[in-house]
Amino acid sequence: MICENHTRVTEFILLGFTNNPEMQVSLFILFLAIYTVTLLGNFLIVTVTSVDPALQTPMYFFLRNLSLLEVCFTLVMVPKMLVDLVSPRKIISFVGCGTQMYFFFLFGSSECFLLSMMAYDRFVAICNPLRYSVIMNRSLCWWMAMGSWMSGVPVSMLQTAWMMALPFCGPNAVDHFFCDGPPVLKLVTVDTTMYEMQALASTLLFIMFPFSLILVSYTRIIITILRMSSATGRQKAFSTCSSHLIVVSLFYGTASLTYLRPKSNQSPESKKLVSLSYTVITPMLNPIIYSLRNNEVKGAAKRTITQKVLQKLDVF
């Protein structure tokens, strides 16, 4: 559709959180610190699960993929958000907005499915321990990981291409800190009912379907744990799942508040805060949760850091 009597939008203004310069500086320092912790924590997980022989199991293979995914997920929006906090012109090009939206949809969908694959891994480990190494073989783990990473490609391409093909002929101020679907859709100058129906269907598929798989897996896990005669066995079995359950609750809880709540209940400010939770805060918390609640990860991290320090001392 051609924008009659209007110029088609070629760039967007990201309104972000505030126009107060002092507040922007404070937020920049805060978010930079969070982003630094996020990168260090997730790269530490990737490193220790790659080099430590004790962590060469499917569980830590998927954890390594989750940490890589969190790095990619935050890379899509946090650097741009930091630049906007100290820049007088919070501009993103039309193509840049579409690119950011595409990778946000892609990595968000991938994380949903990867979390469900991690739940299945825990299901096999607890409910079929004798066959665990046979079922969760190297080939299957790689296919599950690749399937998770690629699962969001079709719907991300469809949603982004459809969205950016709609006419943007009027306002170009996005009331958000990145190019998310709902705030950008508000700027479209035609009826968007068909797109919204497709987007809701995709959201239900890529949020609720993996979440259903997680629920089924943990229902079976809980039943198996309750049937264990040993209290020590029950405690050990639950401890292997607790970190994953916390991560799932954080991710799905905040994502559902953003995409599954009625529009009338959402204010731009509350949506920004909730979006901030799963785009910035949760990726920082994930490595902390897994390292603090997992003795094997803590031990591997200490061994890796000690080895690096000794190597440095040998050089001198």
Side-chain angles (χ1 to χ4, degrees):
M1 175 180 176
I2 300 175
C3 297
E4 298 179 2
N5 302 323
H6 293 278
T7 303
R8 184 176 177 86
V9 170
T10 58
E11 62 183 20
F12 294 100
I13 301 171
L14 297 173
L15 297 182
F17 298 99
T18 178
N19 290 323
N20 187 317
E22 293 182 359
M23 183 64 72
Q24 287 180 338
V25 172
S26 299
L27 289 175
F28 174 82
I29 296 172
L30 174 63
F31 292 147
L32 180 61
I34 291 174
Y35 189 49
T36 302
V37 173
T38 300
L39 294 180
L40 291 176
N42 282 291
F43 278 127
L44 179 62
I45 293 291
V46 171
T47 301
V48 299
T49 57
S50 298
V51 302
D52 195 281
L55 303 185
Q56 303 307 304
T57 64
M59 175 180 172
Y60 296 108
F61 170 77
F62 289 118
L63 178 57
R64 180 162 64 249
N65 275 269
L66 179 63
S67 292
L68 286 172
L69 189 56
E70 296 289 26
V71 171
C72 295
F73 193 60
T74 55
L75 187 63
V76 172
M77 60 212 77
V78 177
K80 173 61 177 171
M81 180 181 68
L82 291 173
V83 171
D84 286 344
L85 285 170
V86 295
S87 174
R89 298 184 73 249
K90 301 170 177 58
I91 301 296
I92 186 169
S93 68
F94 187 85
V95 174
C97 184
T99 303
Q100 188 180 59
M101 190 182 301
Y102 169 77
F103 283 106
F104 171 73
F105 290 154
L106 173 64
F107 294 133
S109 301
S110 298
E111 184 157 352
C112 289
F113 278 91
L114 184 60
L115 289 173
S116 69
M117 296 301 102
M118 295 175 74
Y120 178 74
D121 170 69
R122 293 298 83 206
F123 160 73
V124 177
I126 293 173
C127 300
N128 296 281
L130 298 179
R131 300 182 58 205
Y132 178 69
S133 59
V134 177
I135 297 175
M136 299 301 297
N137 57 70
R138 185 180 180 86
S139 177
L140 178 63
C141 290
W142 275 101
W143 278 110
M144 290 169 68
M146 286 191 294
S148 298
W149 279 89
M150 300 302 295
S151 61
V153 172
V155 71
S156 300
M157 292 181 65
L158 172 63
Q159 285 197 230
T160 305
W162 191 347
M163 168 83 78
M164 304 314 286
L166 294 171
F168 294 87
C169 309
N172 68 334
V174 179
D175 194 4
H176 209 34
F177 60 92
F178 72 99
C179 285
D180 195 5
V184 174
L185 191 64
K186 292 180 180 179
L187 305 180
V188 176
T189 52
V190 296
D191 180 64
T192 59
T193 302
M194 289 297 296
Y195 178 86
E196 291 180 52
M197 292 175 61
Q198 175 270 332
L200 178 60
S202 300
T203 300
L204 291 174
L205 174 64
F206 281 89
I207 291 182
M208 299 312 297
F209 178 68
F211 186 65
S212 298
L213 296 179
I214 293 172
L215 283 179
V216 171
S217 296
Y218 274 105
T219 300
R220 296 287 302 275
I221 288 171
I222 290 172
I223 292 173
T224 302
I225 291 176
L226 292 177
R227 289 176 177 173
M228 292 179 178
S229 57
S230 169
T232 303
R234 288 195 298 270
Q235 183 178 0
K236 183 178 179 181
F238 182 75
S239 66
T240 64
C241 303
S242 57
S243 297
H244 182 253
L245 277 173
I246 295 171
V247 170
V248 168
S249 300
L250 287 172
F251 181 79
Y252 275 97
T254 52
S256 298
L257 285 174
T258 301
Y259 296 104
L260 298 180
R261 286 199 308 174
K263 287 185 177 181
S264 59
N265 293 338
Q266 293 186 8
S267 67
E269 291 73 21
S270 65
K271 182 173 173 57
K272 291 175 191 177
L273 290 175
V274 175
S275 297
L276 191 67
S277 298
Y278 68 84
T279 58
V280 179
I281 305 301
T282 300
M284 177 193 69
L285 293 178
N286 286 355
I288 296 175
I289 292 169
Y290 273 103
S291 60
L292 290 180
R293 299 182 63 86
N294 191 305
N295 291 327
E296 290 182 329
V297 173
K298 286 192 289 186
K302 290 178 182 178
R303 288 192 295 272
T304 302
I305 294 172
T306 302
Q307 184 179 9
K308 294 295 182 182
V309 171
L310 291 175
Q311 289 176 351
K312 292 289 184 181
L313 292 175
D314 290 339
V315 171
F316 293 104

